[in-house]
């Protein structure tokens, strides 16, 4: 498997797993006194950064030549297509978040809804990259 | 010539050369000219256009 595809898999799986756990915890905990807790989010971001850095370094050790090389035209095209699709998803989700925000939800819901929208867009981008790499393999 | 050797000569990855060979990726005009130049052949003898 080429380095860029590994990188897309790392992003997809780490974000799905770590943010999936975060959102599951938030939903499971229910409304908390004092509103939004940045502590849980900070731990999630730190965990995500550590996991992604460690796995990306491991992937680069396995395929050092590919990791050092700049993206070629096919890889750039895959990135652009994935980003375009993710942007459409992001724009739609933001519009939906704004719509539901009009019903005056608690701030903790709004903050997590916006975070969910961003994470979903990034997961969508990584998914599109993986699909395109698999299709052209 | 291996896919990796061709890839190194035209500055793309081996996977891109493989995708071009399999017809799963259409290279840019610049990459197509570079491939033709590696084989010292005119472009039309390396690439063929098909409507299918």
């Amino acid at each position: 498997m080429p380095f860029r595809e590994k990188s897309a898999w790392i992003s997809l799986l780490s974000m799905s797993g770590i943010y999936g756990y975060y959102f599951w915890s938030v939903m499971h905990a229910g409304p908390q006194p004092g509103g939004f807790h940045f502590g849980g989010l900070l731990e999630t971001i730190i965990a995500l950064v550590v996991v992604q850095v460690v796995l990306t370094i491991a992937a680069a050790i396995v395929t050092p030549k590919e990791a050092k090389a700049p993206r070629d035209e096919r890889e750039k095209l895959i990135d652009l297509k994935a980003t375009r699709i993710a942007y459409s998803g992001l724009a739609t989700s933001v519009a939906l978040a704004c719509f539901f925000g009009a019903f005056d939800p608690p701030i903790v819901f709004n903050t997590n809804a916006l975070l969910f929208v961003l994470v979903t867009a990034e997961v969508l981008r990584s998914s599109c990259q993986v699909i395109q790499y698999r299709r052209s393999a | 010539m291996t896919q990796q050797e061709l890839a190194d000569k035209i500055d793309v990855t081996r996977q891109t050369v493989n995708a071009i060979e399999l017809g799963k990726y259409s290279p840019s005009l610049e990459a197509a000219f570079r491939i033709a130049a590696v084989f010292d052949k005119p472009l039309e003898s390396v690439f063929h256009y098909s409507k299918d």
Side-chain angles (χ1 to χ4, degrees), chain A residues 4-5 9 12 37 41 54 74:
Chain A
R4 309 282 178 218
E5 189 180 340
W9 273 111
L12 174 62
H37 289 280
L41 178 60
V54 168
R74 178 176 137 273

Side-chain angles (χ1 to χ4, degrees), chain A residues 65 72-75 135 137, chain B residues 8 12-13 16 24-25 28:
Chain A
K65 194 180 166 189
D72 72 6
E73 59 178 48
R74 178 176 137 273
E75 292 168 338
R135 276 186 183 165
Chain B
D8 291 340
V12 298
T13 61
T16 296
K24 291 180 175 178
Y25 172 68
S28 67

Side-chain angles (χ1 to χ4, degrees), chain A residues 70-102:
Chain A
R71 291 175 199 275
D72 72 6
E73 59 178 48
R74 178 176 137 273
E75 292 168 338
K76 283 178 187 169
L77 189 64
I78 286 173
D79 273 2
L80 287 171
K81 282 181 180 174
T83 302
R84 190 186 63 189
I85 292 168
Y87 176 76
S88 302
L90 179 67
T92 307
S93 306
V94 166
L96 283 172
C98 288
F99 174 75
F100 288 113

Side-chain angles (χ1 to χ4, degrees), chain B residues 22-26 48-52:
Chain B
L22 295 174
K24 291 180 175 178
Y25 172 68
S26 300
H48 302 275
Y49 175 69
S50 167
K51 283 186 178 178
D52 298 331

